[in-house]
Amino acid sequence: MNSQRPVTIKDIAKKFKCSPSTVSRALNDHHLINEDTRKNIQEYAQKVGYQRNLVSLSLLNKKTASLGVIVPNISSYQESAMIDGLHSVLQPLGYTLNICVTNEQYILETEYVEKLLSNRVEGIFLSVSQETYDAGHYEHLENVIKRKVPLIFIDREYEGFETSRVTIDDYFGAFAAIEHLVLGGRKRIAHLKGPNGLTVSEQRFRGYIDCLKKYNLPIDEDLIINTNFRVESSIVPTTRLFDLPNPPDAIFGVNDQVAIGAMKVIRERGLQIPKDVAVIGFDNSPISPYIFPSLTSVARPGRRIGTEASRLFLNYLNASEDEFGVERIVLPSELIIRESSLNF
């Protein structure tokens, strides 16, 4: 036997002077094969390093046990928590997750979708990139639908598709954050907003605006500045806020990273948090209780996004085309109050 090539079922069949189908059944513990024969073939296969051809098996079964997960990044707690949730449910069932990171780029998102479809994944979990919203082109997602591959939006969604999704109630979380600041006596509340058009950014922005309206506080455009979710993106906007003739007495960051960047600028200005300026973030990242002062934030159940999205995928597999309907799950958010927004 040529040791330079993989051992095949035919090689094993030749050794035992039987048919390849008999070897295949023995390796799969088929009851029609004598127990001793099964054991001998299995032990020999292990000894010579036989490995199943999973590609051939997947073509035969029309199953790959492979899934695609496309996220904007994996550096934030939210994305890693979602992936952990997916993995906790699907990995024990034999599925392999192919993690693809777009870095908010439309071109990478389209390339990943194409590659995942070419590799015959059984489903795709997608958190839409910022550039995809900006471009407004969703042909790559339409292709997923046409191929009848389950497409499930996680965290970030696009309203133009009738497909299942799991998101967070970002609007309520933002409203609760601003209400907490207003009831604490803050009157000039700035918002370091996420990228325009992105669902999570717009929902949080809407919660901010609606709460100000509820309490008859003015909406000052000078107090609303865009960031891109990264800590460094908040430095210049926060500096601009405190160069205003009438600076803010509170800052609501689109996420914890942005809020932490704002806190750095505030301290460098010689101001005290929360005495002079209150700060609230979003996501309740693991570091938020441990910075000084500890950061008030809105908790989002990222891991549960993954577990719920897994359930939607499994529901899809177990339902007929007539039975399966689009499911939209909106998970609750929760304001976690800490030192950065308390009144002293």
Side-chain angles (χ1 to χ4, degrees):
M1 191 180 298
N2 185 354
S3 61
Q4 298 303 309
R5 68 174 178 81
V7 177
T8 67
I9 282 181
K10 287 184 179 179
D11 295 326
I12 300 173
K14 186 176 180 182
K15 166 71 177 176
F16 285 88
K17 297 179 181 177
C18 63
S19 68
S21 62
T22 298
V23 174
S24 179
R25 290 191 181 99
L27 292 174
N28 285 289
D29 254 350
H30 199 288
H31 69 280
L32 291 178
I33 306 301
N34 176 277
E35 185 177 347
D36 288 338
T37 302
R38 272 186 277 162
K39 183 179 178 182
N40 290 336
I41 289 177
Q42 289 170 4
E43 287 179 350
Y44 178 77
Q46 185 175 9
K47 178 181 175 182
V48 297
Y50 168 74
Q51 289 186 322
R52 298 186 183 196
N53 188 332
L54 294 178
V55 174
S56 296
L57 284 172
S58 70
L59 289 172
L60 180 65
N61 300 327
K62 296 184 179 180
K63 298 286 185 182
T64 61
S66 181
L67 300 166
V69 182
I70 306 176
V71 292
N73 65 76
I74 52 173
S75 60
S76 77
Y77 169 70
Q78 182 71 5
E79 274 77 14
S80 60
M82 289 192 300
I83 292 169
D84 181 54
L86 289 166
H87 186 267
S88 69
V89 175
L90 298 169
Q91 189 275 334
L93 298 177
Y95 288 98
T96 298
L97 301 183
N98 299 280
I99 313 299
C100 306
V101 182
T102 64
N103 291 317
E104 303 285 9
Q105 296 177 41
Y106 167 74
I107 188 66
L108 279 179
E109 184 173 296
T110 57
E111 288 177 3
Y112 285 138
V113 167
E114 184 178 337
K115 287 178 181 177
L116 290 170
L117 290 176
S118 297
N119 290 331
R120 301 177 65 252
V121 294
E122 293 185 43
I124 295 177
F125 301 91
L126 171 67
S127 184
V128 182
S129 77
Q130 172 61 36
E131 283 190 4
T132 302
Y133 283 105
D134 293 342
H137 298 306
Y138 298 92
E139 291 85 357
H140 59 304
L141 304 186
E142 291 171 357
N143 195 26
V144 179
I145 305 298
K146 288 177 184 175
R147 295 275 291 271
K148 298 189 181 302
V149 173
L151 172 65
I152 299 173
F153 289 124
I154 50 175
D155 193 28
R156 300 184 189 179
E157 59 182 329
Y158 173 60
E159 290 294 342
F161 285 93
E162 281 299 307
T163 190
S164 294
R165 60 203 67 200
V166 185
T167 58
I168 302 289
D169 192 344
D170 292 288
Y171 172 85
F172 172 81
F175 193 101
I178 303 307
E179 187 167 56
H180 167 65
L181 292 170
V182 173
L183 295 178
R186 312 291 173 164
K187 298 188 181 303
R188 284 186 58 77
I189 304 170
H191 180 34
L192 295 176
K193 184 178 183 288
N196 293 334
L198 206 57
T199 311
V200 293
S201 301
E202 299 303 334
Q203 290 295 322
R204 295 173 199 181
F205 177 61
R206 193 163 64 84
Y208 163 80
I209 293 294
D210 285 356
C211 191
L212 291 181
K213 288 179 178 178
K214 175 183 175 180
Y215 289 96
N216 298 314
L217 290 175
I219 296 168
D220 187 340
E221 296 295 334
D222 290 337
L223 297 180
I224 303 167
I225 307 178
N226 288 99
T227 66
N228 65 11
F229 296 120
R230 298 186 178 93
V231 63
E232 63 273 12
S233 72
S234 65
I235 303 301
V236 171
T238 308
T239 301
R240 282 172 52 192
L241 289 172
F242 287 98
D243 284 340
L244 293 171
N246 189 10
D249 59 8
I251 291 179
F252 170 50
V254 69
N255 68 355
D256 289 345
Q257 292 292 308
V258 164
I260 290 169
M263 292 171 76
K264 178 179 185 295
V265 174
I266 292 168
R267 284 192 294 266
E268 289 175 348
R269 288 291 179 114
L271 300 171
Q272 295 183 41
I273 305 169
K275 181 180 177 182
D276 301 314
V277 186
V279 180
I280 295 182
F282 217 106
D283 287 346
N284 196 37
S285 55
I287 195 174
S288 58
Y290 300 105
I291 61 175
F292 180 78
S294 58
L295 179 63
T296 295
S297 187
V298 178
R300 311 176 78 229
R303 193 175 190 276
R304 193 176 161 202
I305 289 179
T307 58
E308 290 291 338
S310 300
R311 183 180 64 78
L312 293 184
F313 168 72
L314 296 174
N315 286 351
Y316 182 94
L317 293 186
N318 295 325
S320 67
E321 284 191 32
D322 293 335
E323 294 174 333
F324 187 78
V326 170
E327 292 189 61
R328 297 169 182 257
I329 298 175
V330 181
L331 301 175
S333 54
E334 179 187 4
L335 180 66
I336 308 296
I337 299 171
R338 299 192 180 98
E339 296 169 341
S340 68
S341 67
L342 295 175
N343 290 317
F344 286 87

